[in-house]
Each structure stands twice: as structure tokens, then as C-alpha cells.
Amino acid sequence: MALERLFRRKRPSGGNRDVPELWTKCEACGAQIYKKEFQENLHVCPKCGHHHRLPAQERVAMLADPGTFQETTRLRPLDPLGFVDTKPYVERLKAYQAETGRPDAILGGTCQIGGVPAVLLVMDYAFAGGSMGSVVGEEIARGAERAAEEGRALVIVAASGGARMQEAALSLMQMAKTVMTLDRVWARRLPYVSVLTDPTTGGVTASFAALADVILAEPGALIGFAGPRVIRQTIRQELPEGFQRSEFLLKHGMVDRVTDRRRLKEELVRVLRHLHPGVAYAPGV
């Protein structure tokens, strides 16, 4: 009986135990990947090449030269409309801030990228789906102004579901503000590179993200204004295969290049060294 009780021990309860904590599962092919390998591979599946979403802090570490990044994004959001849906907006903000450890859906600062002085701004999809509210718009505007004042290139990595509904028209106003401040960068003949990641949609796509000197996109990224389901229901037609994915947009001239994340910094450095007026371009670098 003692042996029988031994083999009848209850399994630990709670959580999905199909995949051990040391492993993660690819969203595309279902392959089990050792987490350390997954992180070293920049959250790209080594089996099928699927690009999973990358946390903003890891994105900065990937693109900025070691030891050069100085964070400048410190603005905190307010709730001027007193917005309440299923819960107050202020409570949602507190929850997102506790989860991500940052005040809003953007992380940015000054740095060097391949030795080129730059302002790097990375949208954080983990914070309210990367939605653009007043703080995100203001940080992008200030980043563009800083780039122009200090003679830096501007690099923005987009990952967003669009405008933030809890801020209503105040959120939509950020589209015009961010676009207008880009003129200051171009007036100094400084390069602006936009990197589109999964997903980049709504008012972000319809403003600064689609107006760069060079637009790079990660493989398989969803890029568009309205979602494919809304478009399908509106036009009452089936959409082409791969519609609104980065490869489809490349084919139709909406992006300049689709670049694997593992080669993204190399590609970005080549572009910045070629376009920045203060950097001597060396072919093949």
C-alpha cells in the first residue's frame, strides 16, 4: 500500500505545465525553444524564423552601441478627460506602469548607433498595445527636436495599435504634432529612419511611421491603418494572401526593405553612415 500511495502522488496544481519554464514555444511553428537560445536569437525562432515581439529594453540594447544610451523619456500621462470604460483610465495606467516599469508606451534617449550620433525612440507594445497618447506624441516630438538641435540622426521603432482611445481627440492631435516636428530634422538635412515591427497600425502608420527617409520592416510584421477584418467587411471582398504584411508592402512600394532582426543593426548602421552629413561614408561598411 505504501508503494501504491507513492505512485499516486498528486501533480502540482496551477499553470500550464506542458512546457517547462526553461523552454518557450514558437507562436508560428510550435517548436519548443530553450529560453536562453531564444533570447540570444533576439526572440526569433531558430526553426522557422518567426519574429516574436521584442521588449523595448531589449530593442534598445540591440540597436544602441554598448554604454552610449542615455534615457530621456520621463513624461507621465494624465487623465484630463476623466475617462472611464470598464475601469477608470488612471487605474489602467497604474497597471501598465507596474507591469512595464515605465511611465508610458515609449522608451527613448540619445545614443550612438555604429558610431553615428542618434536619438533612438522605441514604442512599447506591452504598454496599452503601444497606443499613442499625449505622452507618446510629445516624447516623439521632443526627440525629433533634440535630434535637430544636436545634429543627430532620428530612429523610431514603431509597435502600436494606433491612437489611444481613452484620450480621444487629444490622442489624434499627436498625429499632426509628430509629423510637423519631423520638418526640423529634415531642415538640418539629418536622416530619419523608421523601423516598422509587428504590429504597426492606426494613427501611428498614418503619421510619422510612414514618412521616413528610409523605412525598414521586420519579416511578417502587420502594417496598415485599419485591420484586415474591418477592410474585408467594408469592401465585401476577400483580401490577397499576405495582405498588410511587410513582404506585401515591400512588393507594393510601401517599405524600402524587409530586414531580419538579427541583421537589423547592421542594416541600420549602413543607412545612417550613408545619410548622416557628419559621417564619412565608407562603401562596404
Side-chain angles (χ1 to χ4, degrees), residues 188-247:
R188 292 284 311 275
R189 302 182 68 83
L190 295 165
Y192 163 41
V193 179
S194 178
V195 181
L196 309 182
T197 70
D198 183 64
T200 301
T201 59
V204 169
T205 306
S207 56
F208 64 88
L211 294 175
D213 298 302
V214 177
I215 301 177
L216 305 177
E218 291 191 335
L222 176 66
I223 303 166
F225 182 67
R229 179 180 57 83
V230 174
I231 295 174
R232 189 183 303 110
Q233 291 175 348
T234 301
I235 67 175
R236 300 175 184 244
Q237 295 180 18
E238 288 302 312
L239 303 175
E241 185 177 354
F243 182 72
Q244 289 189 320
R245 295 294 170 177
S246 51
E247 293 79 6

